[in-house]
Amino acid sequence: MKKVKLIGLLGILAAGALALSACGSSSKTADDGGKSKKNNFRTLDEIKKSGTINIGVFSDKHPFGYVDENGEYQGYDIYFGNKLGEDLGVKINYVSTEAANRVEYLETGKVDLILANFTVTPERAEAVDFALPYMNVGLGVISSESNKVDSLDNWNASDEMIVISGTTAEPFMIKNYPNIKLQKYDTYANAKNALLNGSGKAWVNDNTEVLAFAKSNPGYVVGIDDLGVKDTIAPAVTKGNTTLLDWVNSEIETLGKENFFHKDYEATLTDTYGAEYADTLVIEGGKTK
């Protein structure tokens, strides 16, 4: 009898193990948002099936990505994002991000796509997959008009330069101007406040950002509008998400034929920079000159 009971017990345990194994073999889970266990991202088909795409954008970087007085996302990146959602046939869930966590949001699957004024660099390209570029960008330095900074070669050692952590300005300054003390902030809003209240002597950031700030804040001037090398801004997806990447690249090429990004500029950036900067800043169809 004992032997029979033992055999029966072993049979029950074996059946249970097989059942658990079968459950564990599925590539989906009920609460994973459609992401496969192997890859922490959603493919193009999974996004379409869900009916929603999650796009990481800035909420405090006017005129590229910001929240207006009605609580709605607006700006150059938002105009582009709305078009992507429309052509993909899905709703858009905009997720507010900061410069320092753009890569993290992709790696953890919090967003499917980043459209947060993301400058392409070799280091970032190791962590994410960039699509074709849609904008040119460089670095600029803004300061008080009464204490204008037009060169970094004669910097006073007691002064501090404002930077935003996670932007290209931070590593550029560390590498090229190691003797300049940096005052680091996590958000654009805090960096702007630091400049306004005089916490730092100047602020180095994307030239598009500082030019916009100077135009809307009398008493401040961009003394250096072309610091360092020229870069491009592009959408980014999670590393390895080739189906979404290929679709975005195809979309950018198609939109370029319609002069879409110049229309985007006219609708969202002309008031900030003027029409004369359109051809300088805009990239159509992903083709750089």
Side-chain angles (χ1 to χ4, degrees):
M1 286 295 292
K2 289 183 179 180
K3 182 180 292 187
V4 172
K5 288 182 178 180
L6 179 59
I7 293 173
L9 178 59
L10 290 174
I12 292 172
L13 290 174
L18 286 172
L20 288 173
S21 175
C23 291
S25 67
S26 174
S27 63
K28 311 282 185 204
T29 61
D31 60 353
D32 68 355
K35 296 185 290 290
S36 66
K37 287 184 175 180
K38 183 178 180 181
N39 300 307
N40 200 24
F41 59 73
R42 301 191 303 165
T43 65
L44 182 66
D45 286 342
E46 289 169 341
I47 292 170
K48 287 181 177 180
K49 185 177 180 180
S50 74
T52 301
I53 185 170
N54 301 313
I55 303 180
V57 295
F58 286 129
S59 60
D60 64 350
K61 190 176 182 182
H62 186 282
F64 297 98
Y66 64 97
V67 177
D68 65 16
E69 62 275 9
N70 298 315
E72 299 291 332
Y73 280 97
Q74 303 289 351
Y76 186 79
D77 288 340
I78 310 305
Y79 189 101
F80 179 29
N82 289 343
K83 182 62 173 174
L84 292 178
E86 176 187 336
D87 289 351
L88 192 55
V90 298
K91 295 180 180 179
I92 304 168
N93 174 39
Y94 285 120
V95 179
S96 178
T97 183
E98 296 172 0
N101 58 24
R102 289 174 293 195
V103 172
E104 175 193 344
Y105 276 23
L106 285 173
E107 290 180 335
T108 59
K110 189 169 185 177
V111 299
D112 303 302
L113 179 73
I114 287 286
L115 285 182
N117 216 231
F118 210 4
T119 303
V120 179
T121 69
E123 294 77 17
R124 289 172 177 172
E126 292 180 1
V128 304
D129 283 336
F130 282 105
L132 294 171
Y134 60 96
M135 195 169 192
N136 291 305
V137 68
L139 292 178
V141 178
I142 186 171
S143 57
S144 170
E145 200 167 29
S146 61
N147 194 14
K148 181 180 177 181
V149 174
D150 54 17
S151 173
L152 300 184
D153 296 331
N154 55 355
W155 188 266
N156 190 317
S158 62
D159 292 328
E160 296 185 3
M161 175 70 78
I162 298 166
V163 299
I164 300 174
S165 298
T167 63
T168 53
E170 182 181 15
F172 176 85
M173 290 299 297
I174 292 172
K175 178 181 178 180
N176 296 282
Y177 297 94
N179 295 326
I180 294 181
K181 186 175 181 181
L182 302 180
Q183 195 174 114
K184 301 180 183 182
Y185 294 92
D186 291 330
T187 68
Y188 284 89
N190 288 339
K192 292 174 182 178
N193 288 335
L195 182 64
L196 291 170
N197 64 32
S199 294
K201 182 177 181 180
W203 173 26
V204 57
N205 201 62
D206 291 353
N207 54 7
T208 50
E209 177 69 24
V210 295
L211 285 168
F213 185 91
K215 187 167 184 178
S216 59
N217 291 272
Y220 291 87
V221 61
V222 179
I224 306 173
D225 62 6
D226 190 13
L227 181 69
V229 298
K230 293 287 187 180
D231 292 309
T232 60
I233 290 172
V237 303
T238 309
K239 199 73 176 175
N241 194 353
T242 55
T243 57
L244 180 57
L245 180 68
D246 291 344
W247 184 86
V248 173
N249 281 336
S250 178
E251 177 77 349
I252 289 173
E253 290 175 340
T254 299
L255 293 177
K257 298 174 184 177
E258 304 169 8
N259 222 33
F260 171 85
F261 293 98
H262 276 79
K263 296 174 185 176
D264 188 350
Y265 182 98
E266 182 179 357
T268 63
L269 302 185
T270 299
D271 288 346
T272 300
Y273 302 112
E276 64 271 20
Y277 279 102
D279 289 336
T280 300
L281 296 177
V282 171
I283 298 174
E284 288 287 1
K287 298 178 181 178
T288 57
K289 296 179 181 180

